[in-house]
Amino acid sequence: MRDVFHEQLDAVFGDLATICGQVETAVCQATKSLLEADVEIAEQVISADVDIDRARVEVEEQCFELLSLQQPVAGDLRVVVAALRMVTELERMGDLSVHVAKIARMRVPDVAVPAEIQPTVSRMADVARDMVARVKQIIVDRDVSSAIELGRDDEIMDQLRRASFTQVLGDDWTHGVEAAVDIALLGRYYERIADHAVSIANRVVFVVTGEDPRAAASEA
């Protein structure tokens, strides 16, 4: 029975990795729609979010079944609870990608991001996508060292968001309040995607070691 239980747990983590792949696609496509003012791609991102939502429900049902039928204790219980939290964060990352796509759709036929700030926004998107791709592999491998490294790299996203604020608030900003609000929101969306990726990575560390790296960092 325990072998079957652990096979089911492995299947749950496989499903989490699959959802992470869907989120990575959503981030890429939402960014493409944003920078190219492509309404068709934006609509695809928005429509595809239902698949991520459905996958979340399926993972939750698997976890609840494990809790009710297998009655896991100690380390096994920790894994199931972590999986429930991780799938919620993945679903939220999909929602954030939809928010990006909706900004793109709202500004069509114009590009929502002014030309001079596109490199910064594009870099934020690249960092977010990279972090999603890396956390997918962290889930698959349950790689503690890579998970900890991902948390350290989150500072890059924070620096980029600060740079975007500097540009928007500069005296030479000529694109008005509406564009400034769009950039502020986009920065927040990409930053939150990165934050969720770090949170998932931390949960993988907790699953493997039983220790919360955030608590360790606070004590340090």
Side-chain angles (χ1 to χ4, degrees):
M1 287 295 293
R2 303 310 296 171
D3 288 343
V4 171
F5 175 67
H6 286 110
E7 287 175 3
Q8 291 172 319
L9 275 181
D10 288 341
V12 167
F13 269 72
D15 289 341
L16 290 173
T18 298
I19 298 171
C20 205
Q22 293 175 293
V23 170
E24 182 184 359
T25 298
V27 173
C28 290
Q29 293 295 88
T31 302
K32 183 177 176 66
S33 71
L34 179 73
L35 298 178
E36 298 180 9
D38 192 319
V39 71
E40 290 185 8
I41 294 177
E43 293 289 1
Q44 289 171 14
V45 174
I46 295 165
S47 298
D49 189 55
V50 69
D51 296 328
I52 296 176
D53 294 342
R54 186 181 299 114
R56 173 198 172 177
V57 171
E58 291 173 356
V59 167
E60 288 178 338
E61 289 176 347
Q62 291 177 63
C63 289
F64 293 145
E65 183 176 344
L66 287 173
L67 288 171
S68 62
L69 298 181
Q70 301 290 349
Q71 297 181 340
V73 296
D76 290 340
L77 179 61
R78 182 174 71 232
V79 176
V80 177
V81 172
L84 282 167
R85 292 176 175 172
M86 290 160 67
V87 76
T88 298
E89 300 209 60
L90 286 168
E91 191 265 343
R92 182 58 185 146
M93 292 159 80
D95 290 343
L96 290 162
S97 300
V98 168
H99 293 337
V100 172
K102 285 183 176 179
I103 287 180
R105 183 179 65 179
M106 182 168 55
R107 302 304 176 204
V108 169
D110 297 323
V111 176
V113 183
E116 63 265 36
I117 202 169
Q118 283 187 18
T120 302
V121 173
S122 180
R123 179 63 179 142
M124 282 194 288
D126 287 343
V127 171
R129 186 211 57 78
D130 178 66
M131 293 181 76
V132 175
R134 289 164 63 191
V135 86
K136 175 184 175 182
Q137 200 59 45
I138 287 166
I139 291 171
V140 170
D141 299 335
R142 303 196 195 183
D143 186 337
V144 171
S145 60
S146 294
I148 293 172
E149 182 181 354
L150 186 74
R152 293 171 182 157
D153 289 352
D154 188 43
E155 176 62 24
I156 297 172
M157 181 64 82
D158 294 337
Q159 292 172 356
L160 287 166
R161 192 169 186 221
R162 287 194 293 269
S164 71
F165 274 124
T166 299
Q167 289 177 272
V168 167
L169 297 175
D171 292 336
D172 55 350
W173 180 260
T174 60
H175 304 284
V177 174
E178 189 174 79
V181 171
D182 284 347
I183 299 304
L185 288 172
L186 289 166
R188 180 60 174 164
Y189 298 153
Y190 286 121
E191 181 186 49
R192 289 301 296 150
I193 289 170
D195 288 344
H196 283 300
V198 171
S199 181
I200 292 170
N202 286 336
R203 295 192 193 284
V204 171
V205 175
F206 181 64
V207 163
V208 175
T209 68
E211 298 178 359
D212 188 339
R214 290 165 295 189
S218 298
E219 292 174 2

